[in-house]
Structures are given as structure tokens and as C-alpha cells.
Amino acid sequence: MASRIRLEDRECPLSTTVAHVGEWWTLLILHDAFDGYTRFDEFQENLGISSSMLTSRLKTLVADGLLERRAYQSNPTRHEYVLTELGRSLRPVLVALAAWGNSRLDPSQRAMILVDAATGQEVEPAVVDAATGRRLDSSEEFVFAAGPVASEIMRARYARTPENGGVSRSRV
């Protein structure tokens, strides 16, 4: 499968992130981990996932540094899976995905909402620029550009020329 990956995808942060968390079960396991699940049987019971699939996904999440495998019992040895700092840093991504899903539903049809833990009031997640607080929804106002270590392929993809108004052809 690696041979089908384009060179530019190997350096694209979106592609590399999807390689870690883009699989259905992986996102659901992470969601459960954010909800406090840590043990194999908890994940399995809550998700209805097969043992072999869960074992595979947990191994990958540990190998990728998103979960840490820790012994919680010695006889017999039992392990739990705890979010690492890297894993916890994915929470805004899952919150944004859930918010996008909820935005397509009437508020009365939402099965899960995000609330302020102190007040219980529903909140509306938004992705904003940390410096200005501006929402990043607009592909007219915010575009991707080649970064400092971009390859020639990546630089070509995000070339800015007078013909395209100084704006990258690739918009998000």
C-alpha cells in the first residue's frame, strides 16, 4: 500500500494524520478513551468490536504514541490503555468532527452534544486562529501554502502566481 502513496502525501500533515487516525475503529477507540475508558474489555463491550480488530487497533495506537499500555494487574497480567499527551492533543480534532456532524442535524435530533462542564450549557465548537480569534471556515480568507521544508512537488502544488491572484490553487 505504501507504494500507492504520492510523494507529496508523505509530507502533507493532513495525509500523515489520516494515516494515524483515519480508520473508523481508531476514531471510536479514541473517543472512548476521551470518555475515560482504559481497559480492553471496556472498549470491546462499548464498541461491539471483535477482539482481533481491537487488539490490532490498540497496538497501532500504542506504536503511534497515542496510547500508552500500562499494567494494572499482575496475576494474571492485565493492561490498560491510557491517552498520552500526543493522544490527548487530538481531542480538538474529535470535537470538531462531532460538531460538524451535529451541524447537519436539527438540535432536537442530536444524540451527543458538547457542554461546559461547570455550567452544563451547550457550547458550539469552532476552529479559530490563535492569534486573531478569527474562524478558519473560509477557504477564501485562509489557504494552505508551502512550508519551509516543502519539497518541490509541494511547492508546485501551493504555488502563488499573479495569474491565480496570488492565491494557492489548493483551498481548504
Side-chain angles (χ1 to χ4, degrees), residues 81-123:
Y81 298 86
V82 180
L83 287 160
T84 62
E85 185 176 332
L86 182 63
R88 286 188 300 276
S89 72
L90 277 168
R91 188 166 192 277
V93 175
L94 271 72
V95 167
L97 287 170
W100 183 85
N102 271 344
S103 73
R104 276 46 188 169
L105 300 172
D106 183 82
S108 66
Q109 300 298 310
R110 296 175 181 172
M112 177 184 75
I113 58 173
L114 188 66
V115 299
D116 182 304
T119 66
Q121 293 296 309
E122 184 173 358
V123 296

Side-chain angles (χ1 to χ4, degrees), residues 4-25:
R4 293 191 293 186
I5 297 174
R6 300 174 305 168
L7 177 60
E8 67 185 277
D9 291 335
R10 292 181 186 157
E11 64 181 311
C12 173
L14 180 58
S15 297
T16 56
T17 301
V18 169
H20 292 287
V21 298
E23 195 274 329
W24 164 272
W25 288 117

